[in-house]
Amino acid sequence: MALYVQKYGGTSVGSVERIEAVAEKVAGFRQQGHDIVVVVSAMSGETNRLIGLAKDIQSTPEPREMDVLVSTGEQVTIALLCMALSKRGVAARSYTGGQVKILTDSAHTKARIQDIEIDGMRDDLDAGRVIVVAGFQGVDDRGNITTLGRGGSDTTGVALAAALRADECQIYTDVDGVYTTDPRVVDTAQRLEKITFEEMLEMASLGSKVLQIRAVEFAGKYKVPLRVLSSFKDGPGTLISIEDDDTVEKPVISGIAFNRDEAKLTVLGVPDVPGVASRILGPISRENIEVDIIVQNVAADKTTDFTFTVHRNDYQAAETVLQKVAAELGAREVVGDSKIAKVSIVGVGMRSHAGVASKMFDALASESINIQMISTSEIKVSVVIAEKYLELAVRALHSAFDLDKADDVSE
Amino acid sequence: MALYVQKYGGTSVGSVERIEAVAEKVAGFRQQGHDIVVVVSAMSGETNRLIGLAKDIQSTPEPREMDVLVSTGEQVTIALLCMALSKRGVAARSYTGGQVKILTDSAHTKARIQDIEIDGMRDDLDAGRVIVVAGFQGVDDRGNITTLGRGGSDTTGVALAAALRADECQIYTDVDGVYTTDPRVVDTAQRLEKITFEEMLEMASLGSKVLQIRAVEFAGKYKVPLRVLSSFKDGPGTLISIEDDDTVEKPVISGIAFNRDEAKLTVLGVPDVPGVASRILGPISRENIEVDIIVQNVAADKTTDFTFTVHRNDYQAAETVLQKVAAELGAREVVGDSKIAKVSIVGVGMRSHAGVASKMFDALASESINIQMISTSEIKVSVVIAEKYLELAVRALHSAFDLDKADDVSE
């Protein structure tokens, strides 16, 4: 008998029929004797409907009132799910974030969880009741309703699992696990049985939209085993947990992540003096433009070339800022390219294996794909290439690192 | 500078445009220097939408979860109204029933208010903020969300006005006041400037749907001056307050109320022994059928006839119960009529005036309308007549009691 925290996203509770299906699933777990805490999102479409009403009134609505408004979405779902459980003879009780209570700071629309009261939930679990909690929301120390920002229901699930010391936090979604890469690009992509928090973080931040980054960070920090499963078909999903040193057959590379939403900007001929990087990136950051990869090459003539990538939507804004900065710095020229993509190989195994990067570069070279930028971390290597080569590069790497086979067979 | 509690119903906040119009109205009162507490209902249609979702799952949904569900309707409105006020430069803050907090008992879907915390609201008012409260909802002593039953937003308004000792509780609705009778039946019906709580109670319970009965009771108990006004057009509305003894020109009759949703049942030839009434009405009440007028005539042959009225929807159920009871009691026969209507004259003035009832009966007799039942109280006289005579009776009485003239001219 285990204690599971199960999170069901907006698509999984998108209609009365789907809410009934979730209730059926939860009832099954109860019959097996497990204690269940369910975290739900708003029914799909509902949050956007509410935001639409607000935007009809104010283009930038009051954040405090925005939270009061959108938090109703999850509140509707918890009530409906409890009714569907009750209909199946399963005792259940719903709680808003404020009722639990999930204490957050007062940063409306992007609050962070500070504490969770668990005594009330323990009483319910002891009484054999399923607890249904509204995801994505909490309450600050003055009783104001807060929200964790969109997708924050994953974080609610992980935080509850950590507070209750649950055996697993199970994230039910519309995919049946984490894959070695996007199956729409590589049809031999394999579902991973297991992946570490660090790998998942790299995969998530590089474009796999299965889990919210903050939820994975949170789970890693509190060592909450996280499992991604499908709401719609049975299967073990993918377990995200701490690195298991006993595993002998650890693959070097767990997956290939990619992102086509980037653009590249280069300031050519920048005087190579201290403080140049911050004089270039300071104005960019003041425009709220996020920078991803940064590369600086030292040149021989006391000037350097400074390159970085931004989200493609920010490309024009960044270029405008940069033209001004370049003139001030006495740089030669600003050039850019919005038709780029980033491809990364991710795996904790590369820590102890030399030659992973060169194998990656070889694989790309053998397909005549030119590498424009390189960035590395302990467990990933990212390259920027022309966007038109993206699919080709992903398939070549997937094959080169033996990911086409089932994931328990590694080199 | 006064403190007003203003309640806007579902139709008044039925769209973003109408919410903006309410904000405009409230902003105007602020400019005049008044302190304003606003109570709002769910946007019209929203509560029914939510109930529909619940009914799709459970025909009789869990009351606790029903309250969690439907209370989101008002929560949406408070947030949107605060945004609309903020847009106009009016500082405002929203509160759910639980946030205020409006403490109720735990009778889900029909809870009663026990206490209201006002310290937080005083702080807001002192800081010059408009307070926007979700009507119809509260929280019990264990933090469970409760609702006061449909239409309960009026009660929230009155309770807040009582707790805050407001100068007036203003109920904004889609009619511009309380009329001497339904203007759709009598086109010379007059808006009343003023009416007492007792008269309003009789008018409301007899079919005028302007205000919720419980809200009027509450206002009368705490002597909160209540004003009914239109959201859509300017005007003084109708003030409902305690009886003003200084008014010399008090009309005998304030209005004519009527109700066509009733049915009449008679048990003929009941043995005239103690306990008969409870043996007849006990089984009726156990079926949750509410009884309105009850009349018992004593007959000469040691039997009596027992008649009462019920809501027309309960007619069949009541008759079934009665057939069984009549057999047990040895009564002669059960007869009934679902084509009846009730017409009442209401006015505190009749306390000190003899002859009001006979004037009523005369007026009906002169139109050849047969009176089937009569029931009287201190400030009203009700008669049951055949439904087909309803309009004729109302018009005859309206004219007989001089209500066709402006209401400040009385006999």
Side-chain angles (χ1 to χ4, degrees):
Chain A
M1 206 175 97
L3 169 58
Y4 295 134
V5 175
Q6 304 186 322
K7 182 258 172 177
Y8 294 89
T11 317
S12 308
V13 295
S15 64
V16 163
E17 292 69 33
R18 290 195 169 174
I19 288 171
E20 300 257 19
V22 169
E24 198 63 35
K25 232 176 165 67
V26 172
F29 281 101
R30 280 298 295 152
Q31 270 183 336
Q32 292 164 36
H34 300 302
D35 284 335
I36 305 291
V37 176
V38 182
V39 175
V40 286
S41 300
M43 295 169 77
S44 53
E46 180 63 5
T47 305
N48 285 337
R49 183 183 76 87
L50 293 167
I51 291 173
L53 287 173
K55 298 269 179 186
D56 282 351
I57 293 175
Q58 264 190 317
S59 54
T60 50
E62 289 278 302
R64 180 187 184 280
E65 302 304 334
M66 202 63 191
D67 283 352
V68 171
L69 180 70
V70 296
S71 63
T72 61
E74 290 74 29
Q75 189 170 330
V76 166
T77 317
I78 58 175
L80 295 177
L81 180 55
C82 280
M83 291 172 190
L85 285 166
S86 153
K87 181 180 170 181
R88 286 163 178 79
V90 177
R93 194 164 282 178
S94 74
Y95 292 93
T96 64
Q99 286 178 310
V100 164
K101 73 185 202 187
I102 296 175
L103 187 73
T104 72
D105 60 25
S106 301
H108 285 292
T109 76
K110 47 180 191 292
R112 283 180 175 264
I113 296 174
Q114 294 181 326
D115 193 27
I116 295 183
E117 279 185 20
I118 60 166
D119 293 351
M121 288 190 286
R122 283 265 174 247
D123 291 346
D124 279 321
L125 292 173
D126 290 348
R129 280 191 284 264
V130 170
I131 298 170
V132 181
V133 178
F136 164 75
Q137 58 182 246
V139 71
D140 74 4
D141 56 2
R142 284 163 300 176
N144 295 304
I145 295 169
T146 55
T147 67
L148 311 178
R150 296 199 81 171
S153 291
D154 286 359
T155 308
T156 304
V158 172
L160 283 171
L164 291 164
R165 299 181 191 285
D167 294 285
E168 229 172 70
C169 178
Q170 303 175 332
I171 309 286
Y172 285 85
T173 174
D174 47 5
V175 297
D176 67 347
V178 180
Y179 275 70
T180 50
T181 195
D182 189 335
R184 286 169 302 186
V185 171
V186 182
D187 55 14
T188 54
Q190 302 289 321
R191 182 179 53 76
L192 295 160
E193 290 289 333
K194 227 177 144 175
I195 185 173
T196 69
F197 291 117
E198 291 164 292
E199 289 170 329
M200 189 63 215
L201 276 178
E202 296 289 3
M203 295 289 273
S205 63
L206 292 171
S208 302
K209 281 152 198 134
V210 178
L211 278 170
Q212 289 295 311
I213 296 179
R214 271 172 62 189
V216 179
E217 283 173 352
F218 214 88
K221 185 171 168 192
Y222 291 98
K223 299 188 172 49
V224 176
L226 204 57
R227 191 180 289 277
V228 176
L229 313 97
S230 166
S231 297
F232 306 113
K233 60 179 188 180
D234 290 332
T238 297
L239 179 66
I240 305 149
S241 63
I242 54 170
E243 202 174 332
D244 183 358
D245 289 327
D246 299 340
T247 310
V248 189
E249 294 188 287
K250 194 182 308 180
V252 174
I253 298 302
S254 293
I256 316 288
F258 57 85
N259 186 352
R260 57 175 97 234
D261 296 331
E262 303 218 1
K264 175 180 81 161
L265 286 149
T266 303
V267 191
L268 294 168
V270 184
D272 188 17
V273 293
V276 160
S278 80
R279 286 183 63 189
I280 292 174
L281 294 181
I284 294 287
S285 128
R286 279 193 287 279
E287 292 290 314
N288 283 317
I289 298 170
E290 284 194 28
V291 171
D292 181 16
I293 296 179
I294 302 168
V295 172
Q296 183 178 344
N297 295 328
V298 179
D301 58 347
K302 295 199 171 166
T303 67
T304 184
D305 302 332
F306 191 95
T307 305
F308 59 90
T309 62
V310 295
H311 193 282
R312 202 170 284 179
N313 294 344
D314 293 327
Y315 179 65
Q316 291 303 334
E319 210 212 347
T320 305
V321 172
L322 229 44
Q323 292 290 6
K324 209 166 148 239
V325 171
E328 287 166 14
L329 287 175
R332 200 169 68 239
E333 194 183 356
V334 174
V335 295
D337 185 355
S338 65
K339 294 252 184 290
I340 58 157
K342 184 172 68 171
V343 180
S344 308
I345 56 172
V346 176
V348 290
M350 72 171 71
R351 277 180 188 149
S352 49
H353 282 71
V356 167
S358 65
K359 187 172 179 176
M360 180 188 198
F361 305 152
D362 280 351
L364 296 173
S366 70
E367 299 290 348
S368 302
I369 299 169
N370 186 41
I371 297 170
Q372 301 183 7
M373 292 170 81
I374 298 171
S375 170
T376 61
S377 78
E378 262 207 311
I379 65 163
K380 80 155 188 223
V381 181
S382 301
V383 296
V384 169
I385 58 174
E387 189 190 2
K388 61 182 174 185
Y389 296 126
L390 175 63
E391 287 82 2
L392 179 61
V394 172
R395 284 185 205 115
L397 292 169
H398 201 265
S399 169
F401 285 99
D402 289 332
L403 296 171
D404 294 340
K405 305 172 197 169
D407 64 283
D408 57 342
V409 182
S410 61
E411 55 166 26
Chain B
M1 207 176 95
L3 169 57
Y4 295 132
V5 175
Q6 304 187 322
K7 183 259 174 176
Y8 294 90
T11 316
S12 308
V13 295
S15 65
V16 163
E17 291 69 32
R18 289 194 169 173
I19 288 171
E20 300 257 19
V22 169
E24 199 63 36
K25 232 177 166 67
V26 172
F29 281 102
R30 281 298 295 152
Q31 269 184 336
Q32 292 165 31
H34 300 302
D35 285 333
I36 305 291
V37 176
V38 182
V39 175
V40 286
S41 301
M43 294 168 76
S44 54
E46 180 64 4
T47 305
N48 285 336
R49 184 184 76 86
L50 292 167
I51 291 172
L53 287 173
K55 297 269 180 188
D56 282 349
I57 293 175
Q58 264 190 315
S59 54
T60 50
E62 289 277 301
R64 180 187 184 279
E65 302 305 333
M66 202 63 190
D67 282 352
V68 171
L69 181 70
V70 296
S71 62
T72 61
E74 289 76 29
Q75 190 170 328
V76 166
T77 317
I78 58 174
L80 295 177
L81 180 55
C82 279
M83 291 173 191
L85 285 166
S86 154
K87 181 180 170 181
R88 286 163 177 79
V90 177
R93 194 164 282 177
S94 74
Y95 292 93
T96 64
Q99 285 179 313
V100 165
K101 70 190 204 184
I102 297 174
L103 186 73
T104 71
D105 59 25
S106 301
H108 285 291
T109 75
K110 48 182 188 293
R112 285 181 172 264
I113 295 173
Q114 294 181 326
D115 194 26
I116 295 183
E117 281 186 17
I118 61 166
D119 292 351
M121 287 190 287
R122 283 266 175 244
D123 291 347
D124 279 322
L125 292 173
D126 290 347
R129 278 190 285 264
V130 170
I131 298 170
V132 180
V133 178
F136 164 75
Q137 56 183 250
V139 71
D140 74 6
D141 56 2
R142 284 163 299 177
N144 294 304
I145 295 168
T146 55
T147 68
L148 311 178
R150 297 200 80 171
S153 290
D154 286 0
T155 307
T156 303
V158 172
L160 283 171
L164 291 164
R165 300 179 188 285
D167 295 285
E168 228 173 70
C169 178
Q170 302 176 332
I171 308 286
Y172 285 86
T173 175
D174 47 4
V175 298
D176 67 347
V178 180
Y179 276 71
T180 49
T181 194
D182 188 336
R184 287 169 301 186
V185 172
V186 182
D187 56 13
T188 53
Q190 302 289 321
R191 181 178 54 77
L192 295 161
E193 289 290 332
K194 227 177 147 178
I195 185 174
T196 69
F197 291 116
E198 291 163 292
E199 288 170 328
M200 189 64 215
L201 276 177
E202 297 289 2
M203 295 289 274
S205 63
L206 292 171
S208 302
K209 280 150 200 138
V210 179
L211 278 171
Q212 289 295 311
I213 296 179
R214 274 173 59 190
V216 179
E217 284 174 351
F218 215 88
K221 185 171 169 192
Y222 292 97
K223 300 188 171 50
V224 176
L226 203 58
R227 190 180 290 276
V228 176
L229 314 96
S230 165
S231 297
F232 307 112
K233 60 178 189 181
D234 291 331
T238 297
L239 179 66
I240 305 149
S241 63
I242 53 172
E243 202 173 331
D244 184 358
D245 290 326
D246 299 341
T247 308
V248 189
E249 294 188 288
K250 196 181 310 185
V252 173
I253 297 300
S254 293
I256 316 288
F258 57 86
N259 186 354
R260 57 175 97 234
D261 296 332
E262 303 217 3
K264 173 180 84 161
L265 286 147
T266 303
V267 191
L268 294 169
V270 184
D272 189 16
V273 294
V276 158
S278 80
R279 286 182 65 188
I280 292 175
L281 292 182
I284 294 286
S285 128
R286 279 194 288 280
E287 292 290 315
N288 284 316
I289 298 170
E290 283 195 28
V291 171
D292 183 17
I293 295 180
I294 303 168
V295 171
Q296 185 179 343
N297 296 327
V298 179
D301 57 349
K302 292 197 176 170
T303 67
T304 181
D305 301 333
F306 191 94
T307 305
F308 58 91
T309 63
V310 296
H311 193 281
R312 201 170 283 180
N313 293 343
D314 292 327
Y315 179 63
Q316 291 303 333
E319 208 210 349
T320 306
V321 172
L322 230 46
Q323 291 291 5
K324 210 166 144 242
V325 170
E328 287 167 15
L329 287 174
R332 196 168 71 240
E333 195 184 356
V334 175
V335 294
D337 185 355
S338 66
K339 295 253 182 287
I340 59 156
K342 185 171 69 172
V343 180
S344 309
I345 56 173
V346 176
V348 289
M350 72 171 71
R351 278 180 186 148
S352 50
H353 282 71
V356 168
S358 65
K359 185 170 181 179
M360 180 188 197
F361 305 153
D362 280 350
L364 295 173
S366 70
E367 298 292 345
S368 301
I369 299 170
N370 187 40
I371 297 170
Q372 301 182 8
M373 291 171 79
I374 298 171
S375 170
T376 61
S377 78
E378 263 208 312
I379 65 162
K380 79 156 189 223
V381 180
S382 301
V383 297
V384 168
I385 57 174
E387 189 189 2
K388 61 182 174 183
Y389 295 126
L390 175 64
E391 287 82 1
L392 178 61
V394 171
R395 283 186 207 115
L397 293 170
H398 201 265
S399 168
F401 286 99
D402 288 330
L403 296 172
D404 294 339
K405 305 174 195 168
D407 64 282
D408 56 345
V409 181
S410 60
E411 59 166 21

